[in-house]
Amino acid sequence: MREARNEKTVKIKQIRSGIGTTKRQKATLKSLKLGKMHRVVELPDNVAVRGMVRSIPHLVKIVEE
């Protein structure tokens, strides 16, 4: 079985639809494993994920850190 590590994670929630956004913004949503409204995902808290969230702040928000 896979061991649980004590890595920091961040919960990200999609607050707006990707309809009407650019292809790049839709690709960022997809890479964050989002795509439907009000979906929440838990991802590792690292520079890459934070950068993606910063590139689409009007579509997502950080729920908890």
Side-chain angles (χ1 to χ4, degrees):
M1 287 201 145
R2 194 171 165 191
E3 290 182 25
R5 297 181 182 171
N6 287 336
E7 296 177 359
K8 289 188 176 183
T9 59
V10 62
K11 288 188 179 181
I12 302 168
K13 181 177 183 178
Q14 184 174 350
I15 56 172
R16 294 224 172 139
S17 172
I19 296 174
T21 61
T22 64
K23 287 182 182 180
R24 185 174 181 173
Q25 291 172 342
K26 287 180 187 179
T28 303
L29 277 175
K30 189 174 180 179
S31 65
L32 286 172
K33 300 176 185 166
L34 295 169
K36 293 186 178 180
M37 294 283 298
H38 309 293
R39 184 170 287 176
V40 178
V41 294
E42 190 169 353
L43 298 171
D45 189 7
N46 58 31
V47 177
V49 172
R50 291 284 180 161
M52 287 189 271
V53 170
R54 250 184 272 130
S55 70
I56 53 170
H58 56 291
L59 300 176
V60 298
K61 74 175 184 177
I62 295 177
V63 180
E64 18 177 281
E65 293 188 33

